[in-house]
Amino acid sequence: MIKINDLHASINAESEDSKEILKGITLEIPAGEVHAIMGPNGSGKSTLSYVLAGRDDYEVTSGTATMDGVDLLDMDPEERAAAGVFLAFQYPVEIPGVNMSTFLKTSLNSVRKQRGEDELDALAILKLIKTKCKELGISEDMMKRAVNVGFSGGEKKRNEVLQMAMLAPKFAVLDETDSGLDIDALKIVADGVNKMRDPNRSFLVITHYQRLLEYIKPDVVHVLAHGKIVKSGGPELAHELEEKGYAEFLDEAA
Amino acid sequence: MTLPALDIKNLPTPKEETWKYTNLSRALPDSLNLADKQEEILIHKGRGEITGKAEEIVLTGHEGQHHQPRLNITLEPGAELTIIERHEGDGAYWKNMVSIIEIGANAKLRHIRIQDDDKQAVNTSMVRIALARDAVYDSFTLNMGGKLTRHEIHAVIQGENAECTLNGVNLLNGEQHGDTTILIEHQAPHCASNQFYRSVLDDSARGVFQGKVHVHKAAQKTDGYQLSNALLLSPKAEMDTKPELEIYADDVLCSHGATTGQLDEDPLFYLRQRGLTEADARMLLIQAFVNEVVDKVADETAKATIEEKAQAWLQEALKK
């Protein structure tokens, strides 16, 4: 289970332009649950995902974040990955010159090595890739291409879900995975996520739109505004937001 | 073509425009045996002669030597050849090389250079290439040895529909200085030239890339491409880049680009989020940067050698 307590984070913490973006986030995601975070642009949604994954552009100034009682904030990004934290990026990064199968193999074996598990040989990995591609409706031709290079928006997001399926994390953060997707691509992505729902796995689904939550049914919906969670509720809260917009929360927090 | 040999009694100085980043006389060993004779290598392939297996030339320098290899390659029309030119040696010496390459109509030369001279040595290599119609010159240079190296290429495309490719990778560290200076002259229409160079510079190493494409008035429909990317692994490393286009024809497609910088943070974080350690992520990204050029080497054996040497170099560089 994920516990985030009074988390504050700033960008450019050391300099004069220092700006606090997360202003005390408290959140608990029990194992097996899917929580959604909705909020207007600039509310701190992406910052929260980067802080949880360990990007060092942000500095945590106070508060804690733990997974099964283990402090996440003290770990390097790769240690968090090995512990079971996965971030599906809002903008998956293109890596020219590194092909997909090499990337997936290196990623999976790096995680296994850190966990003290045996590395898988090329054949076993290939088999696993084949199975997962089939499950997710991803063409295997994609495996011969360089990571995300020349991929369409939909392919990039499906690729994120494929990596999540390969790494089988304990805690997956999906950062605006729905942005820019047409309805068919959205369904494929949501379907991939739903297949991975598990009593031992938690999800944090960050989104701007309620539409995604039609396909990935959350247990709890939180509203993030001005770096704080200003309201939490059931799935009905998402519908409310879709109708009324975020104006009321922006006023409240300001 | 005139012989562009460098003369020890009349060395170029940084006052000359194309030598402004490279001070040759300061780098030459103090004592050189000037009595050394020239070494002549003649390669001639007759009309339509196709050589399947790559031919290897090894040029070895020795302490105190003023080594002056002269390489002449002539391919008659329709001939095909792959040459692997290896540079090695031991001690402080000056390898002062001249290569004259003539490629006849519809002939094809693949020229792979692996320059791994001693770290105290100076290597200057002046290359003149003439391409007849439908000729292909496809070259790759791995530049990793020497204290100071200068690879100067002057290619003249004389016949139509010819293609000239000059690719290379520089892997330099310590106080190494590697200079690549290129002039491609397009004198005939419907020809293509490509230049794709990537440099990885560590410590106080300095790379120089000067590439000029000169398109003469007659050379309509020229397709000229030039790209130099440099990755600096240390704050003291330096890259000087001077891309130039000089175009007198009005219907051509020419582009050039140059970048110099450090490794991007975004892919680094992406890979670490996927479990790679920072060292592994860096290695993978730098390797990919280099391999995008190496992948264009057509000869599989040479490609494997180059990949192996590059990998060993990178592992050493990232150990620090």
Short mmCIF file of all heavy atoms in Angstrom, two decimals, chain B residues 144-198:
data_model
loop_
_atom_site.label_atom_id
_atom_site.label_comp_id
_atom_site.label_asym_id
_atom_site.label_seq_id
_atom_site.Cartn_x
_atom_site.Cartn_y
_atom_site.Cartn_z
N MET B 144 40.41 7.30 -33.19
CA MET B 144 40.52 7.19 -31.73
C MET B 144 41.94 7.26 -31.20
O MET B 144 42.14 7.43 -30.00
CB MET B 144 39.82 5.93 -31.24
CG MET B 144 40.40 4.64 -31.77
SD MET B 144 39.35 3.20 -31.43
CE MET B 144 39.27 3.22 -29.66
N GLY B 145 42.94 7.16 -32.06
CA GLY B 145 44.32 7.18 -31.57
C GLY B 145 44.97 8.53 -31.83
O GLY B 145 44.34 9.47 -32.30
N GLY B 146 46.26 8.60 -31.47
CA GLY B 146 47.05 9.79 -31.77
C GLY B 146 46.91 10.89 -30.76
O GLY B 146 45.91 11.02 -30.07
N LYS B 147 47.96 11.69 -30.69
CA LYS B 147 47.96 12.88 -29.85
C LYS B 147 47.27 14.00 -30.63
O LYS B 147 46.43 14.72 -30.12
CB LYS B 147 49.43 13.24 -29.58
CG LYS B 147 49.71 14.54 -28.92
CD LYS B 147 51.25 14.68 -28.90
CE LYS B 147 51.71 16.00 -28.36
NZ LYS B 147 53.18 16.12 -28.54
N LEU B 148 47.66 14.08 -31.91
CA LEU B 148 47.00 15.03 -32.80
C LEU B 148 46.77 14.33 -34.14
O LEU B 148 47.68 13.70 -34.67
CB LEU B 148 47.85 16.28 -32.99
CG LEU B 148 47.27 17.35 -33.95
CD1 LEU B 148 47.56 18.75 -33.43
CD2 LEU B 148 47.82 17.20 -35.37
N THR B 149 45.56 14.41 -34.63
CA THR B 149 45.29 13.84 -35.95
C THR B 149 44.56 14.85 -36.81
O THR B 149 43.79 15.68 -36.33
CB THR B 149 44.41 12.57 -35.86
OG1 THR B 149 43.17 12.92 -35.25
CG2 THR B 149 45.07 11.46 -35.08
N ARG B 150 44.86 14.77 -38.08
CA ARG B 150 44.18 15.63 -39.05
C ARG B 150 43.84 14.74 -40.23
O ARG B 150 44.72 14.13 -40.85
CB ARG B 150 45.13 16.74 -39.48
CG ARG B 150 44.74 17.44 -40.79
CD ARG B 150 43.93 18.68 -40.53
NE ARG B 150 43.86 19.49 -41.75
CZ ARG B 150 43.37 20.73 -41.76
NH1 ARG B 150 42.90 21.28 -40.65
NH2 ARG B 150 43.32 21.41 -42.89
N HIS B 151 42.56 14.65 -40.52
CA HIS B 151 42.11 13.87 -41.65
C HIS B 151 41.47 14.85 -42.61
O HIS B 151 40.39 15.37 -42.34
CB HIS B 151 41.10 12.81 -41.17
CG HIS B 151 40.69 11.85 -42.24
ND1 HIS B 151 39.47 11.22 -42.24
CD2 HIS B 151 41.34 11.39 -43.32
CE1 HIS B 151 39.38 10.43 -43.30
NE2 HIS B 151 40.51 10.50 -43.96
N GLU B 152 42.19 15.13 -43.68
CA GLU B 152 41.69 16.14 -44.62
C GLU B 152 41.29 15.46 -45.92
O GLU B 152 42.09 14.77 -46.55
CB GLU B 152 42.78 17.19 -44.87
CG GLU B 152 42.29 18.30 -45.77
CD GLU B 152 43.31 19.44 -45.90
OE1 GLU B 152 43.97 19.78 -44.89
OE2 GLU B 152 43.43 19.99 -47.01
N ILE B 153 40.04 15.65 -46.27
CA ILE B 153 39.51 14.96 -47.45
C ILE B 153 39.06 16.00 -48.47
O ILE B 153 38.32 16.93 -48.15
CB ILE B 153 38.30 14.09 -47.08
CG1 ILE B 153 38.66 13.16 -45.92
CG2 ILE B 153 37.81 13.28 -48.28
CD1 ILE B 153 37.45 12.53 -45.27
N HIS B 154 39.52 15.81 -49.67
CA HIS B 154 39.07 16.67 -50.76
C HIS B 154 38.51 15.77 -51.85
O HIS B 154 39.24 15.05 -52.51
CB HIS B 154 40.27 17.51 -51.27
CG HIS B 154 39.90 18.46 -52.36
ND1 HIS B 154 40.81 19.28 -52.98
CD2 HIS B 154 38.71 18.73 -52.96
CE1 HIS B 154 40.19 20.00 -53.90
NE2 HIS B 154 38.92 19.69 -53.91
N ALA B 155 37.18 15.77 -51.96
CA ALA B 155 36.54 14.90 -52.96
C ALA B 155 36.02 15.76 -54.09
O ALA B 155 35.39 16.80 -53.87
CB ALA B 155 35.41 14.12 -52.32
N VAL B 156 36.29 15.33 -55.31
CA VAL B 156 35.82 16.07 -56.48
C VAL B 156 34.90 15.15 -57.28
O VAL B 156 35.33 14.10 -57.78
CB VAL B 156 36.99 16.55 -57.36
CG1 VAL B 156 36.47 17.40 -58.51
CG2 VAL B 156 37.99 17.34 -56.52
N ILE B 157 33.66 15.54 -57.36
CA ILE B 157 32.68 14.74 -58.10
C ILE B 157 32.61 15.30 -59.51
O ILE B 157 32.10 16.38 -59.74
CB ILE B 157 31.31 14.78 -57.40
CG1 ILE B 157 31.47 14.34 -55.94
CG2 ILE B 157 30.32 13.90 -58.14
CD1 ILE B 157 30.20 14.38 -55.14
N GLN B 158 33.20 14.51 -60.43
CA GLN B 158 33.39 15.04 -61.79
C GLN B 158 32.34 14.58 -62.78
O GLN B 158 32.13 15.23 -63.81
CB GLN B 158 34.79 14.63 -62.30
CG GLN B 158 35.91 15.24 -61.45
CD GLN B 158 37.26 14.60 -61.70
OE1 GLN B 158 37.34 13.43 -62.08
NE2 GLN B 158 38.32 15.35 -61.46
N GLY B 159 31.70 13.43 -62.49
CA GLY B 159 30.73 12.90 -63.45
C GLY B 159 29.35 12.82 -62.82
O GLY B 159 29.22 12.77 -61.59
N GLU B 160 28.32 12.80 -63.66
CA GLU B 160 26.98 12.84 -63.07
C GLU B 160 26.57 11.53 -62.41
O GLU B 160 27.16 10.48 -62.66
CB GLU B 160 25.94 13.28 -64.12
CG GLU B 160 25.87 12.44 -65.36
CD GLU B 160 24.94 13.13 -66.37
OE1 GLU B 160 25.37 14.08 -67.03
OE2 GLU B 160 23.78 12.69 -66.47
N ASN B 161 25.57 11.65 -61.53
CA ASN B 161 24.99 10.52 -60.81
C ASN B 161 26.00 9.78 -59.92
O ASN B 161 25.85 8.61 -59.63
CB ASN B 161 24.33 9.53 -61.79
CG ASN B 161 23.42 8.55 -61.09
OD1 ASN B 161 22.73 8.91 -60.13
ND2 ASN B 161 23.44 7.30 -61.53
N ALA B 162 27.03 10.45 -59.50
CA ALA B 162 28.00 9.83 -58.59
C ALA B 162 27.58 10.12 -57.15
O ALA B 162 26.79 11.04 -56.89
CB ALA B 162 29.39 10.38 -58.84
N GLU B 163 28.10 9.31 -56.23
CA GLU B 163 27.71 9.46 -54.83
C GLU B 163 28.93 9.36 -53.93
O GLU B 163 29.73 8.44 -54.05
CB GLU B 163 26.70 8.36 -54.47
CG GLU B 163 26.05 8.57 -53.13
CD GLU B 163 25.07 7.47 -52.79
OE1 GLU B 163 24.42 6.91 -53.71
OE2 GLU B 163 24.96 7.15 -51.59
N CYS B 164 29.04 10.30 -53.02
CA CYS B 164 30.21 10.34 -52.14
C CYS B 164 29.74 10.40 -50.68
O CYS B 164 29.05 11.34 -50.29
CB CYS B 164 31.04 11.58 -52.48
SG CYS B 164 32.48 11.75 -51.44
N THR B 165 30.09 9.38 -49.90
CA THR B 165 29.67 9.34 -48.50
C THR B 165 30.89 9.37 -47.59
O THR B 165 31.79 8.54 -47.74
CB THR B 165 28.85 8.06 -48.23
OG1 THR B 165 27.67 8.12 -49.02
CG2 THR B 165 28.46 7.95 -46.76
N LEU B 166 30.93 10.32 -46.70
CA LEU B 166 32.05 10.42 -45.75
C LEU B 166 31.45 10.37 -44.35
O LEU B 166 30.84 11.34 -43.89
CB LEU B 166 32.79 11.75 -45.94
CG LEU B 166 33.24 12.10 -47.37
CD1 LEU B 166 33.83 13.50 -47.40
CD2 LEU B 166 34.28 11.09 -47.86
N ASN B 167 31.59 9.24 -43.68
CA ASN B 167 31.07 9.10 -42.33
C ASN B 167 32.22 8.88 -41.36
O ASN B 167 33.29 8.41 -41.75
CB ASN B 167 30.11 7.91 -42.24
CG ASN B 167 28.83 8.15 -43.02
OD1 ASN B 167 28.50 9.28 -43.34
ND2 ASN B 167 28.12 7.08 -43.30
N GLY B 168 31.96 9.17 -40.09
CA GLY B 168 33.03 8.90 -39.14
C GLY B 168 32.61 9.07 -37.70
O GLY B 168 31.60 9.70 -37.38
N VAL B 169 33.40 8.46 -36.83
CA VAL B 169 33.20 8.57 -35.39
C VAL B 169 34.54 8.94 -34.76
O VAL B 169 35.57 8.34 -35.07
CB VAL B 169 32.70 7.22 -34.81
CG1 VAL B 169 32.83 7.20 -33.30
CG2 VAL B 169 31.25 6.97 -35.22
N ASN B 170 34.52 9.95 -33.91
CA ASN B 170 35.71 10.31 -33.14
C ASN B 170 35.49 9.95 -31.69
O ASN B 170 34.48 10.35 -31.10
CB ASN B 170 35.93 11.83 -33.20
CG ASN B 170 36.29 12.31 -34.59
OD1 ASN B 170 37.29 11.89 -35.15
ND2 ASN B 170 35.45 13.16 -35.15
N LEU B 171 36.41 9.20 -31.12
CA LEU B 171 36.36 8.88 -29.69
C LEU B 171 37.68 9.37 -29.10
O LEU B 171 38.72 8.76 -29.31
CB LEU B 171 36.21 7.37 -29.48
CG LEU B 171 35.00 6.70 -30.12
CD1 LEU B 171 35.07 5.18 -29.94
CD2 LEU B 171 33.70 7.23 -29.53
N LEU B 172 37.62 10.48 -28.40
CA LEU B 172 38.87 11.10 -27.95
C LEU B 172 38.83 11.41 -26.46
O LEU B 172 37.79 11.83 -25.95
CB LEU B 172 39.12 12.39 -28.73
CG LEU B 172 39.14 12.28 -30.28
CD1 LEU B 172 39.22 13.66 -30.91
CD2 LEU B 172 40.30 11.41 -30.75
N ASN B 173 39.96 11.21 -25.80
CA ASN B 173 40.04 11.56 -24.38
C ASN B 173 41.41 12.15 -24.06
O ASN B 173 42.20 12.42 -24.97
CB ASN B 173 39.70 10.36 -23.49
CG ASN B 173 40.64 9.18 -23.72
OD1 ASN B 173 41.74 9.35 -24.22
ND2 ASN B 173 40.19 7.99 -23.37
N GLY B 174 41.71 12.32 -22.78
CA GLY B 174 43.00 12.91 -22.40
C GLY B 174 43.16 14.27 -23.05
O GLY B 174 42.28 15.11 -22.99
N GLU B 175 44.31 14.46 -23.71
CA GLU B 175 44.57 15.74 -24.37
C GLU B 175 44.50 15.58 -25.89
O GLU B 175 45.07 16.39 -26.63
CB GLU B 175 45.97 16.23 -23.98
CG GLU B 175 46.23 16.24 -22.50
CD GLU B 175 46.44 17.63 -21.96
OE1 GLU B 175 47.37 18.31 -22.41
OE2 GLU B 175 45.65 18.05 -21.09
N GLN B 176 43.87 14.53 -26.34
CA GLN B 176 43.83 14.25 -27.78
C GLN B 176 43.15 15.37 -28.57
O GLN B 176 42.22 16.02 -28.09
CB GLN B 176 43.08 12.94 -28.03
CG GLN B 176 43.88 11.70 -27.73
CD GLN B 176 43.09 10.46 -28.10
OE1 GLN B 176 42.11 10.14 -27.45
NE2 GLN B 176 43.51 9.79 -29.15
N HIS B 177 43.64 15.52 -29.79
CA HIS B 177 43.09 16.54 -30.69
C HIS B 177 42.81 15.86 -32.03
O HIS B 177 43.71 15.31 -32.64
CB HIS B 177 44.14 17.66 -30.85
CG HIS B 177 43.72 18.78 -31.76
ND1 HIS B 177 43.46 20.04 -31.29
CD2 HIS B 177 43.53 18.82 -33.10
CE1 HIS B 177 43.13 20.81 -32.32
NE2 HIS B 177 43.17 20.10 -33.42
N GLY B 178 41.57 15.88 -32.45
CA GLY B 178 41.20 15.21 -33.70
C GLY B 178 40.50 16.17 -34.65
O GLY B 178 39.48 16.74 -34.31
N ASP B 179 41.08 16.35 -35.81
CA ASP B 179 40.58 17.34 -36.78
C ASP B 179 40.13 16.62 -38.05
O ASP B 179 40.90 15.87 -38.65
CB ASP B 179 41.73 18.33 -37.06
CG ASP B 179 41.40 19.37 -38.13
OD1 ASP B 179 40.56 19.11 -39.00
OD2 ASP B 179 42.03 20.45 -38.11
N THR B 180 38.90 16.86 -38.44
CA THR B 180 38.40 16.35 -39.71
C THR B 180 38.03 17.56 -40.56
O THR B 180 37.21 18.38 -40.15
CB THR B 180 37.14 15.49 -39.50
OG1 THR B 180 37.46 14.42 -38.61
CG2 THR B 180 36.63 14.92 -40.82
N THR B 181 38.68 17.67 -41.70
CA THR B 181 38.41 18.82 -42.58
C THR B 181 38.06 18.29 -43.96
O THR B 181 38.80 17.50 -44.54
CB THR B 181 39.65 19.74 -42.63
OG1 THR B 181 39.85 20.29 -41.32
CG2 THR B 181 39.45 20.88 -43.62
N ILE B 182 36.90 18.71 -44.43
CA ILE B 182 36.35 18.12 -45.66
C ILE B 182 36.00 19.21 -46.66
O ILE B 182 35.43 20.24 -46.31
CB ILE B 182 35.07 17.31 -45.32
CG1 ILE B 182 35.44 16.06 -44.50
CG2 ILE B 182 34.32 16.91 -46.60
CD1 ILE B 182 34.23 15.35 -43.93
N LEU B 183 36.35 18.93 -47.90
CA LEU B 183 35.84 19.76 -48.99
C LEU B 183 35.28 18.82 -50.05
O LEU B 183 36.00 17.95 -50.55
CB LEU B 183 36.96 20.64 -49.58
CG LEU B 183 36.61 21.36 -50.90
CD1 LEU B 183 35.45 22.33 -50.72
CD2 LEU B 183 37.82 22.12 -51.44
N ILE B 184 34.00 18.98 -50.33
CA ILE B 184 33.41 18.18 -51.41
C ILE B 184 33.04 19.15 -52.53
O ILE B 184 32.30 20.11 -52.30
CB ILE B 184 32.16 17.41 -50.93
CG1 ILE B 184 32.54 16.41 -49.84
CG2 ILE B 184 31.51 16.67 -52.11
CD1 ILE B 184 31.39 15.60 -49.31
N GLU B 185 33.56 18.88 -53.68
CA GLU B 185 33.23 19.73 -54.83
C GLU B 185 32.29 19.00 -55.77
O GLU B 185 32.64 17.94 -56.32
CB GLU B 185 34.50 20.10 -55.59
CG GLU B 185 35.26 21.22 -54.92
CD GLU B 185 36.35 21.74 -55.82
OE1 GLU B 185 36.02 22.45 -56.80
OE2 GLU B 185 37.51 21.42 -55.56
N HIS B 186 31.12 19.56 -55.92
CA HIS B 186 30.16 19.01 -56.88
C HIS B 186 30.36 19.75 -58.20
O HIS B 186 30.03 20.92 -58.31
CB HIS B 186 28.73 19.23 -56.39
CG HIS B 186 28.30 18.25 -55.34
ND1 HIS B 186 27.66 17.08 -55.65
CD2 HIS B 186 28.40 18.27 -53.99
CE1 HIS B 186 27.38 16.41 -54.52
NE2 HIS B 186 27.82 17.12 -53.50
N GLN B 187 30.90 19.03 -59.18
CA GLN B 187 31.11 19.68 -60.49
C GLN B 187 30.13 19.20 -61.53
O GLN B 187 30.08 19.73 -62.63
CB GLN B 187 32.54 19.39 -60.97
CG GLN B 187 33.61 20.02 -60.08
CD GLN B 187 35.01 19.74 -60.57
OE1 GLN B 187 35.25 18.84 -61.36
NE2 GLN B 187 35.97 20.53 -60.09
N ALA B 188 29.37 18.15 -61.21
CA ALA B 188 28.47 17.56 -62.21
C ALA B 188 27.05 17.44 -61.63
O ALA B 188 26.89 17.35 -60.42
CB ALA B 188 28.99 16.18 -62.61
N PRO B 189 26.03 17.43 -62.50
CA PRO B 189 24.64 17.37 -62.01
C PRO B 189 24.24 15.98 -61.50
O PRO B 189 24.91 14.99 -61.80
CB PRO B 189 23.82 17.75 -63.25
CG PRO B 189 24.67 17.40 -64.42
CD PRO B 189 26.09 17.58 -63.97
N HIS B 190 23.15 15.95 -60.74
CA HIS B 190 22.51 14.71 -60.27
C HIS B 190 23.43 13.86 -59.37
O HIS B 190 23.38 12.65 -59.42
CB HIS B 190 22.04 13.84 -61.45
CG HIS B 190 20.95 14.47 -62.25
ND1 HIS B 190 19.64 14.49 -61.84
CD2 HIS B 190 20.98 15.13 -63.43
CE1 HIS B 190 18.90 15.13 -62.73
NE2 HIS B 190 19.69 15.54 -63.72
N CYS B 191 24.24 14.51 -58.56
CA CYS B 191 25.12 13.75 -57.67
C CYS B 191 24.69 13.96 -56.22
O CYS B 191 23.99 14.92 -55.90
CB CYS B 191 26.57 14.19 -57.84
SG CYS B 191 27.21 13.77 -59.47
N ALA B 192 25.11 13.04 -55.37
CA ALA B 192 24.77 13.15 -53.95
C ALA B 192 26.02 13.06 -53.10
O ALA B 192 26.96 12.33 -53.43
CB ALA B 192 23.82 12.01 -53.56
N SER B 193 26.06 13.83 -52.03
CA SER B 193 27.14 13.66 -51.06
C SER B 193 26.54 13.67 -49.65
O SER B 193 25.59 14.40 -49.38
CB SER B 193 28.19 14.75 -51.21
OG SER B 193 27.69 15.99 -50.83
N ASN B 194 27.11 12.81 -48.80
CA ASN B 194 26.65 12.72 -47.41
C ASN B 194 27.84 12.81 -46.48
O ASN B 194 28.86 12.17 -46.71
CB ASN B 194 26.00 11.36 -47.13
CG ASN B 194 24.97 11.00 -48.16
OD1 ASN B 194 23.92 11.62 -48.21
ND2 ASN B 194 25.27 10.01 -49.00
N GLN B 195 27.67 13.57 -45.42
CA GLN B 195 28.69 13.59 -44.37
C GLN B 195 27.96 13.40 -43.06
O GLN B 195 27.03 14.15 -42.75
CB GLN B 195 29.41 14.93 -44.30
CG GLN B 195 30.12 15.34 -45.58
CD GLN B 195 30.53 16.80 -45.52
OE1 GLN B 195 31.18 17.24 -44.59
NE2 GLN B 195 30.14 17.57 -46.52
N PHE B 196 28.34 12.39 -42.30
CA PHE B 196 27.68 12.14 -41.01
C PHE B 196 28.78 11.77 -40.01
O PHE B 196 29.36 10.70 -40.08
CB PHE B 196 26.66 11.00 -41.19
CG PHE B 196 25.85 10.69 -39.96
CD1 PHE B 196 25.68 11.62 -38.94
CD2 PHE B 196 25.22 9.45 -39.84
CE1 PHE B 196 24.91 11.32 -37.82
CE2 PHE B 196 24.45 9.14 -38.72
CZ PHE B 196 24.29 10.08 -37.71
N TYR B 197 29.08 12.71 -39.13
CA TYR B 197 30.14 12.51 -38.14
C TYR B 197 29.60 12.64 -36.73
O TYR B 197 28.81 13.55 -36.45
CB TYR B 197 31.27 13.52 -38.35
CG TYR B 197 32.26 13.08 -39.41
CD1 TYR B 197 31.94 13.21 -40.75
CD2 TYR B 197 33.48 12.50 -39.07
CE1 TYR B 197 32.81 12.78 -41.74
CE2 TYR B 197 34.37 12.07 -40.05
CZ TYR B 197 34.03 12.21 -41.37
OH TYR B 197 34.90 11.78 -42.34
N ARG B 198 30.03 11.75 -35.87
CA ARG B 198 29.69 11.90 -34.46
C ARG B 198 30.95 11.79 -33.61
O ARG B 198 31.81 10.95 -33.89
CB ARG B 198 28.67 10.85 -34.04
CG ARG B 198 27.30 11.26 -34.55
CD ARG B 198 26.18 10.49 -33.95
NE ARG B 198 24.93 11.20 -34.21
CZ ARG B 198 23.75 10.68 -34.04
NH1 ARG B 198 23.61 9.45 -33.58
NH2 ARG B 198 22.66 11.38 -34.29
#
